[in-house]
Amino acid sequence: MLTRREWMRQAAGVTAVAAMPGLLGSKGHAKTPSSDDQAISGAGSLKAHAAARGLLTGCAVNANLLREDEGFRKLLAEQYNIVVPENCMKWNILRPTADTYNFTDADSLVAFAETHGMKVRGHNFVWHEALPGWFATAVNKGNAQKFLVDHIRTVGGRYTGKMHSWDVVNEAIWIPDGRPDGMRTSSPWFQMLGPGYIDLAFRTARAADPTALLTYNDYSIEYDNDEEGKKRTAVLALLRRMKADKVPLDALGIQSHIHSVSKDGFSRGVSELIEGAKALGLQVFVTELDVNDDAIDTDDMAERDKIVAEVYRNYLTAALNGTEVKAVLTWGASDKNTWLNHGTKFRKQHPDRTQRPLPFDPEYAPAPAFFAMRECFDNAKKR
Ligand code: 9MR
């Protein structure tokens, strides 16, 4: 069995982190690399390897870390050419009351990206989650349309010309709700406005920001099984219907919250999504990639990291086959902050263990998944 140190050495080749003086801590964990570490920064960074293939690569940014953690800011600037807010452009953060907006964190992220020459994805205008406490009492069938349109005009308008893309509608399909078109009927937007809220959101977004790529974003559509196949079919049918109705739509976001252990593969699923999007002239983005490692039996960290990296490699090999996928973003950069470690919901099989789903470990050292990502970028065709 390889130790983490041996794995790093093997994964990164002769000029690897392990071979560089000072980069390994006493416990064999890699330390935060210095900016002159050419093994993983500069020409060795994720963004350099991605850009060589015409790809964008980025991660979800936690506003607290951006504000308080210099190591995190350094990592972002060093590794990525696109960022997406993890939470600070959601309604519950932007809308403290029904009549006011708080753009503090969103503005900081956009300014940080501008300073460092990074693009920004907006996430998101319309979702059934992350709504503020006042929403349920203040918004009703009579005024929901005005709330939705005002929100998109105000937020989209504020950042117009600065955004690479916007997740205009997030997670609108939910097969268990039982509708033939797969629409999520439990969404307050659906309940107040009916299925037409989707077209309304996209048309309003185009008017508010004519240059951002307008994206439909969803999850659990990647694997080759019946359940995800049904959801995938419904998502593609929705996009096809929108295109037929001339709704402004530019891209499909495949969230890609995948698992370390699964009985199903994803190469057919991913290629169905990509082919479906291609037929409609849409770009495709991998928007929220991470690998839930709860089901890995061994507690050996190096082994776990290796398995996670293998899943990254398999997934990105499928996703980057062809040239439709233009951006690869992970949901967070480092295991220091991942939604999979919020509470214990995602620690069912190993309650005492924190997850390691991302390309950088909690100390911001590259994990094997980092090297898998780079390798997949290298193997991709030029966009
Ligand atoms: O990672 C996000 C977490 O911090 C928030 O509490 C949660 C609710 O706003 O959203 C998480 O991000 C989700 C994303 O916005 C949409 N796809 C699923 C992500 C993970 O739940």
Side-chain angles (χ1 to χ4, degrees), residues 60 62 85-87 90 92-93 123-124 127 129-131 167 170-171 217-219 255 257 288 290 331 337-340 342 345-346:
N62 176 281
E86 182 177 9
N87 290 312
K90 293 174 182 170
N92 59 344
I93 308 293
H123 174 86
N124 54 54
W127 191 24
E129 282 188 40
L131 293 165
D167 288 333
N170 197 37
E171 305 174 4
N217 195 45
D218 217 326
Y219 71 101
Q255 290 189 10
H257 293 291
E288 306 186 13
D290 54 18
W331 203 242
N337 171 61
T338 159
W339 68 296
L340 294 170
H342 295 168
K345 192 173 164 204
F346 301 105

Side-chain angles (χ1 to χ4, degrees), residues 171-187 189-199 227 230-235 237-238 241:
E171 305 174 4
I173 298 293
W174 187 241
I175 301 298
D177 282 355
R179 273 176 63 102
D181 62 4
M183 294 280 290
R184 187 189 290 269
T185 58
S186 58
S187 164
W189 296 113
F190 180 91
Q191 288 174 1
M192 291 185 290
L193 297 172
Y197 82 87
I198 296 190
D199 296 6
E227 198 186 332
K230 278 190 193 129
K231 187 164 179 184
R232 187 157 57 239
T233 302
V235 166
L238 168 68
R241 200 277 304 151

Side-chain angles (χ1 to χ4, degrees), residues 115-134:
T115 304
H116 296 283
M118 304 160 113
K119 295 184 188 297
V120 187
R121 302 198 72 240
H123 174 86
N124 54 54
F125 284 141
V126 185
W127 191 24
H128 60 283
E129 282 188 40
L131 293 165
W134 53 262

Side-chain angles (χ1 to χ4, degrees), residues 220-229 232 257-262 264-266 268-270 311:
S220 289
I221 48 178
E222 300 85 4
Y223 281 101
D224 305 335
N225 60 43
D226 281 358
E227 198 186 332
E228 300 211 357
R232 187 157 57 239
H257 293 291
I258 54 177
H259 296 266
S260 52
V261 178
S262 169
D264 305 306
F266 34 56
R268 186 167 54 80
V270 168
V311 179

